[in-house]
Amino acid sequence: MRRDLFEEEHLLFQETVREFMAREVVPHHDRWEKDGIVPREVWKKAGEIGVFGFGVPEEHGGAGIKDFRYNVVITEEVMRIGATGLGFSLHNDVMAPYFVDLTDEDQKARWLPGFASGELITAVAMTEPGAGSDLQGIRTTARREGDHYVVNGQKTFITNGINSDLVVVVAKTDPEAGARGVSLLVVERGMEGFGRGRNLDKIGMHAQDTAELFFDDVRVPVANLLGGQEGQGFFQLMANLPQERLSIAVMAIASAETVLAQTIEYCRSRTAFGRNIGSFQNTRFVLAELDTELEIARHYVDRCVVALNAGELSAVDAAKAKWWTTELQNKVIDRCLQLHGGYGYMMDYPVAKAWIDSRVQTIYGGTTEIMKEIIGRSFGF
Ligand SMILES: Cc1cc2nc3c(=O)[nH]c(=O)nc-3n(C[C@H](O)[C@H](O)[C@H](O)COP(=O)(O)OP(=O)(O)OC[C@H]3O[C@@H](n4cnc5c(N)ncnc54)[C@H](O)[C@@H]3O)c2cc1C
């Protein structure tokens, strides 16, 4: 079916991003996988062609356009080439609302120009060694002392953890107040007592820097509180999670579509028993099922993008998109690997890397089980 999400301007931007990826990312990504990190220079180069901060107001260096379809264009181009090391979608899709919508004028002036230029890389630190799904179980605290908060605690699994300059830290400003005692503070690179631990040794996404962060009596100015009010952090997170989950769903579909297309090509050329493997009914049935499921999922996700732009994407809609598409992505890529035979197990073939990289998609941003909880709770039992 015809896809009608994009208009002329999105397609033009798509060409720009595709050309950028071919020139600045494709030739280097293998090396970044070995290095365990993407160099900061590529962020700056991406900033120069306007990849970051579409929603950043023009006076702060952005394009001043709130249209998630541009984010979709970028994410799809990144996934098309399997460049899972780039933390662009975390910066652009997940962090932008925190920095654009929850900042006062002073904070905007300090942070947004760097956000849009790619010189200030962002991260969000919710998860702790003892609390992931159960966000209210976090133990990091921010104690008010005059014009500062004193932050103590530890975070783990933080995307862009090594490269980040601005980390939105979820901390308890009132440990007795439950959900109303959580606040979001921006901790900046170089603040005394802010340390980074290991660049974690993951099974996939090797070019992505995922790290532990430590906070030891870090004095964070009250001017770095997001949203202007203490105790709102939990609700601010809840408000932004649907966009994060939709972003992951967009990644899932783009990645699975790419691998499916590669697999169809493989099935055309690989022969067994004197025929190409695409001529076996089983191969055609498997490909037909995957293609059908993906196309149906694609239309739901595109519809979610339109709903997000209209301010109508609910937490339940986004949860459905997230769990369904990421489980589907894993299924599609696993079946595609099978159709590659032994070659599918070799890193020379993109399906192998996609198989490893995609596994985390059902886990971060809220696990499949938590997504089902969100949907299930909506029935009001
Ligand atoms: C590569 C990577 C990048 C990440 N990036 C970030 C980041 O940038 N920032 C950040 O803050 N975090 C990040 N995370 C953390 C991620 O969001 C958490 O790992 C995830 O939310 C799950 O939390 P957990 O690991 O503590 O698992 P747990 O919460 O311990 O869950 C373990 C298992 O129990 C299940 N479970 C838990 N509660 C329930 C329940 N109520 N009902 C049914 N089942 C349940 C889960 O679904 C899961 O299967 C990242 C993780 C990874 C692996």
Side-chain angles (χ1 to χ4, degrees), residues 35 85 96 121 156 172 210 215 300 311 322 344 346 357 374 378:
D35 295 345
I121 298 171
T156 192
K172 287 197 165 164
T210 311
F215 307 93
Y300 181 80
K322 203 267 173 184
M346 300 297 133
D357 287 352
I374 292 170
S378 74

Side-chain angles (χ1 to χ4, degrees), residues 232-306:
Q232 293 302 304
F234 192 72
F235 308 102
Q236 291 158 342
L237 289 168
M238 292 305 123
N240 285 327
L241 280 169
Q243 180 161 320
E244 171 170 356
R245 289 171 181 155
L246 178 56
S247 166
I248 294 171
V250 170
M251 286 163 69
I253 299 289
S255 157
E257 281 179 350
T258 304
V259 171
L260 180 62
Q262 289 161 347
T263 305
I264 293 169
E265 279 314 303
Y266 184 81
C267 293
R268 265 190 238 292
S269 56
R270 177 73 180 169
T271 55
F273 298 95
R275 306 152 63 175
N276 72 45
I277 59 170
S279 70
F280 299 127
Q281 189 189 49
N282 176 69
T283 306
R284 291 200 307 269
F285 275 20
V286 169
L287 293 174
E289 283 174 23
L290 301 181
D291 190 42
T292 306
E293 289 183 61
L294 263 179
E295 181 152 12
I296 290 169
R298 140 80 55 224
H299 287 286
Y300 181 80
V301 170
D302 280 358
R303 185 66 194 81
C304 286
V305 173
V306 173

